[in-house]
């Protein structure tokens, strides 16, 4: 590997977990290289307002919070590479990362790759994605549908937040959920139910996104109880039914659970079964999935990596 990029520490992922790990590693003088991945800043950049991150009593935009973290890490010497890692392998104590652009090598590795939206896998979903009306990010694409009727599918906090965000400027928002009650937290569910522009469609399953071949204009729904098919006219469908951990690149090296989340190798949840590889954020956390938790695990992973390097 003549063109390999070598660093003592590398962080894969640039969300809250990765950026916090980079900050701690940089302040420890370990010169981390952060590999952004295909979504720099992670899922938080898609959140319009973060109200539960300590230190911001009036809330803060997700993109702004991540940008501040990035600049703070850069201030202490963290570097960034706009690449995507496709495979992890081991060569003795060295960790080899094969990126789309180039290979990388390090002694200590922090994996903070987060998770990706789960698709519905229904007809029309791929056809009308990328500007055709199907979206996984209301913050990114919602403003294109100002004054229009849109639909959101899902029942958790993410779906509730998407619906509330869209209700600020869309004429109407249908929230489609396959059950008869929301899985969202109480406060988010109450906000959705109190919003006059949001209409809940209970016990409904999305069958397809329909359109003219260029843009979608409706979704086909099925009543989960009666099986009745209905046609819902709308300009866009925002999918928010969950996330899948970005872990496939390391499946041959690290253990995964039945849902694809990284498994820790000991009592410390940030330590993997491979010495020198540490885990942080949503890629190893199927339970909490909060920005502050991800940041905390990023700090723990960095401290664990520093101590491991000192012991070598």
């Amino acid at each position: 590997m003549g063109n390999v990029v070598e660093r003592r520490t590398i962080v894969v992922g640039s969300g809250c977990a990765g950026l916090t790990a980079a900050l701690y590693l940089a302040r420890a003088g370990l010169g981390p290289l952060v590999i952004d991945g295909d979504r720099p800043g992670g899922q938080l950049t898609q959140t319009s307002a973060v109200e539960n991150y300590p230190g911001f009593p009036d809330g803060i935009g997700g993109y702004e919070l991540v940008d501040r973290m990035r600049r703070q890490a850069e201030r202490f010497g963290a570097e960034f590479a706009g690449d995507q890692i496709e495979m992890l392998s081991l060569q003795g104590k060295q960790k080899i990362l094969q990126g789309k652009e180039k290979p990388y090598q390090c002694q200590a590795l922090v994996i903070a790759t987060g998770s990706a939206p789960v698709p519905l896998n229904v007809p029309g979903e791929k056809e009308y994605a990328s500007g055709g009306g199907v979206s996984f990010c209301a913050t990114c694409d919602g403003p294109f549908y100002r004054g229009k009727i849109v639909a959101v599918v899902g029942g958790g906090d993410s779906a509730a937040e998407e619906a509330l965000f869209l209700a600020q400027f869309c004429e109407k928002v249908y929230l489609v959920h396959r059950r008869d009650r929301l899985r969202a937290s109480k406060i988010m569910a109450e906000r959705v139910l109190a919003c006059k522009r949001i209409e809940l469609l209970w016990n409904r399953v999305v069958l397809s996104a329909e359109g003219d071949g260029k843009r979608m204009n409706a979704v086909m729904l099925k009543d989960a109880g009666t099986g009745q098919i209905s046609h819902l006219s709308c300009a866009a469908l925002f999918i928010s039914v969950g996330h899948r951990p970005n872990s496939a690149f390391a499946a041959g090296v690290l253990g995964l659970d039945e849902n694809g989340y990284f498994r820790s190798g000991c009592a410390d949840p940030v330590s993997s079964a491979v010495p020198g590889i540490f885990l942080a954020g949503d890629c190893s956390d199927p339970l909490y999935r909060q920005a502050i938790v991800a940041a905390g695990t990023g700090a723990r992973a960095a401290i664990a990596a520093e101590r491991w390097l000192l012991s070598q």
Side-chain angles (χ1 to χ4, degrees), residues 108-304:
L109 172 66
V110 174
I111 297 178
T113 46
S115 56
V118 174
L120 294 177
N121 292 320
V122 297
E125 181 180 25
K126 290 183 178 179
E127 180 181 1
Y128 295 114
S130 302
V134 174
S135 173
F136 293 90
C137 177
T139 305
C140 308
D141 302 324
F144 293 113
Y145 303 97
R146 191 175 299 275
K148 298 183 181 297
I149 297 173
V150 301
V152 176
V153 57
D157 278 348
S158 295
E161 183 172 345
E162 299 265 276
L164 289 165
F165 174 75
L166 292 164
Q168 297 178 73
F169 48 80
C170 290
E171 178 184 340
K172 187 166 189 174
V173 179
Y174 288 100
L175 181 54
V176 181
H177 187 40
R178 61 182 178 175
R179 297 188 175 91
D180 60 359
R181 61 191 301 178
L182 294 174
R183 294 181 292 104
S185 59
K186 182 179 179 181
I187 187 170
M188 293 300 289
E190 289 175 347
R191 289 177 182 177
V192 166
L193 295 171
C195 183
K196 294 181 179 180
R197 288 191 179 183
I198 299 176
E199 181 177 337
L200 275 298
L201 298 181
W202 303 110
N203 300 308
R204 301 293 206 287
V205 178
V206 174
L207 294 180
S208 64
E210 306 291 327
D212 60 9
K214 292 184 178 180
R215 297 199 60 83
M216 66 157 283
N217 52 38
V219 292
M220 299 300 293
L221 303 175
K222 182 176 77 171
D223 189 299
T226 67
Q228 182 178 354
I229 306 299
S230 60
H231 177 277
L232 178 67
S233 296
C234 57
L237 173 65
F238 293 88
I239 300 171
S240 185
V241 295
H243 293 83
R244 183 176 296 121
N246 298 316
S247 57
F249 74 98
V253 175
L254 299 177
L256 307 178
D257 69 12
E258 63 275 10
N259 294 313
Y261 288 91
F262 289 116
R263 290 196 299 256
S264 62
C266 61
D268 183 358
V270 301
S271 295
S272 77
V274 176
I277 299 182
F278 304 90
L279 310 169
D282 290 359
C283 62
S284 59
D285 175 19
L287 183 60
Y288 297 105
R289 299 181 49 78
Q290 296 293 308
I292 187 63
V293 177
T297 59
R300 290 180 64 176
I303 293 170

